[in-house]
Amino acid sequence: MFSLFAVLVGVASFLLMLATPYTLNQSLYEVSSAIATVGLSTGITPSLPVKIQFMLAVLMMVGRLGPLTLATAIGTRRRKIGYELPKDRPLIG
């Protein structure tokens, strides 16, 4: 899970730096704030292109649903049933 989030932060920061004139510090702060859903910003979000704002919104959704989905997947494992109900077709009539 950590590796996935680290890759997402790295790629998103790189894309943010390519599309805008902002520094690495500002880009990392915006992206890590979005994926951690902490609600903080450096104030550059309104001046970002719409595509980058959409990317940040997707990161917010991933940050919100990622750990929750993983916890649910681990918690709801299918257990092997050690018994089987009897199956029979009784003859009637």
Side-chain angles (χ1 to χ4, degrees):
M1 195 67 179
F2 175 76
S3 300
L4 174 68
F5 276 80
V7 168
L8 281 174
V9 167
V11 169
S13 297
F14 180 71
L15 291 175
L16 184 72
M17 286 177 49
L18 284 178
T20 61
Y22 297 112
T23 65
L24 177 64
N25 288 340
Q26 291 171 318
S27 299
L28 277 174
Y29 192 85
E30 284 294 319
V31 170
S32 60
S33 173
I35 203 163
T37 62
V38 294
L40 298 175
S41 176
T42 57
I44 64 172
T45 308
S47 64
L48 295 175
V50 175
K51 291 179 183 179
I52 301 296
Q53 288 179 0
F54 181 73
M55 179 186 70
L56 290 176
V58 169
L59 286 173
M60 288 178 200
M61 293 297 293
V62 168
R64 178 72 177 136
L65 295 177
L68 181 64
T69 305
L70 180 65
T72 303
I74 290 172
T76 58
R77 289 186 181 169
R78 296 184 96 185
R79 295 186 179 118
K80 186 176 180 181
I81 298 175
Y83 63 90
E84 186 175 330
L85 295 174
K87 297 175 186 171
D88 194 14
R89 294 183 153 258
L91 296 173
I92 300 177

